[in-house]
Coordinates of all heavy atoms in Angstrom, one line a residue:
P106 N 177.7 30.9 -79.8 CA 178.3 30.1 -78.6 C 179.9 30.3 -78.5 O 180.6 30.3 -79.6 CB 178.0 28.6 -79.2 CG 176.8 28.8 -80.0 CD 177.0 30.1 -80.8
G107 N 180.3 30.5 -77.4 CA 181.7 30.8 -77.1 C 182.1 32.3 -77.2 O 183.3 32.6 -77.2
A108 N 181.0 33.2 -77.2 CA 181.3 34.6 -77.4 C 182.0 35.1 -76.1 O 182.8 36.0 -76.2 CB 180.1 35.4 -77.5
F109 N 181.8 34.5 -74.9 CA 182.5 34.8 -73.7 C 182.4 33.5 -72.8 O 181.5 32.7 -73.1 CB 182.0 36.0 -73.0 CG 180.5 36.2 -72.8 CD1 179.8 35.7 -71.7 CD2 179.7 36.8 -73.9 CE1 178.5 35.8 -71.6 CE2 178.4 36.9 -73.7 CZ 177.7 36.3 -72.6
T110 N 183.2 33.4 -71.8 CA 183.2 32.2 -71.0 C 182.3 32.1 -69.8 O 182.0 31.0 -69.4 CB 184.7 32.0 -70.5 OG1 185.1 33.1 -69.8 CG2 185.6 31.8 -71.7
D111 N 181.8 33.3 -69.2 CA 181.0 33.3 -68.1 C 179.6 33.5 -68.4 O 179.1 33.3 -69.6 CB 181.6 34.4 -67.1 CG 181.5 35.8 -67.8 OD1 181.4 35.8 -69.0 OD2 181.8 36.7 -67.1
T112 N 178.7 33.8 -67.4 CA 177.3 34.0 -67.6 C 177.1 35.5 -67.2 O 177.5 35.9 -66.2 CB 176.5 33.1 -66.6 OG1 176.8 31.7 -67.1 CG2 175.0 33.4 -66.8
R113 N 176.4 36.2 -68.0 CA 176.1 37.6 -67.8 C 174.7 38.0 -68.1 O 174.0 37.4 -68.9 CB 177.0 38.5 -68.8 CG 178.4 38.1 -68.7 CD 179.2 39.0 -69.7 NE 180.6 38.5 -69.8 CZ 181.6 39.1 -70.6 NH1 181.3 40.1 -71.2 NH2 182.7 38.5 -70.6
Y114 N 174.2 38.8 -67.2 CA 172.9 39.5 -67.6 C 173.1 40.7 -68.6 O 173.7 41.6 -68.2 CB 172.2 40.0 -66.2 CG 170.8 40.4 -66.5 CD1 169.8 39.5 -66.6 CD2 170.4 41.8 -66.8 CE1 168.5 39.9 -67.0 CE2 169.1 42.1 -67.1 CZ 168.1 41.1 -67.2 OH 166.9 41.6 -67.5
I115 N 172.6 40.6 -69.7 CA 172.8 41.5 -70.8 C 171.5 42.3 -71.0 O 170.4 41.7 -71.1 CB 173.2 40.8 -72.1 CG1 174.4 39.7 -71.9 CG2 173.4 41.7 -73.3 CD1 175.7 40.4 -71.8
T116 N 171.8 43.6 -71.1 CA 170.6 44.5 -71.5 C 170.9 45.1 -72.9 O 172.1 45.5 -73.1 CB 170.3 45.5 -70.5 OG1 171.4 46.5 -70.4 CG2 170.0 45.0 -69.1
M117 N 169.9 45.4 -73.7 CA 169.9 46.1 -74.9 C 168.9 47.2 -74.9 O 167.8 46.9 -74.6 CB 169.7 45.3 -76.1 CG 169.6 45.9 -77.4 SD 169.5 44.9 -78.9 CE 168.0 44.0 -78.6
T118 N 169.3 48.5 -75.0 CA 168.4 49.5 -75.0 C 168.5 50.4 -76.3 O 169.5 50.6 -76.7 CB 168.8 50.5 -73.8 OG1 168.7 49.8 -72.6 CG2 167.8 51.7 -73.8
V119 N 167.4 50.7 -76.9 CA 167.3 51.6 -78.0 C 166.7 52.9 -77.5 O 165.6 53.0 -77.1 CB 166.5 51.0 -79.2 CG1 166.4 52.0 -80.3 CG2 167.0 49.7 -79.6

Side-chain angles (χ1 to χ4, degrees):
F109 48 91
T110 57
D111 54 352
T112 300
R113 304 178 190 181
Y114 186 79
I115 305 288
T116 65
M117 172 173 60
T118 303
V119 177

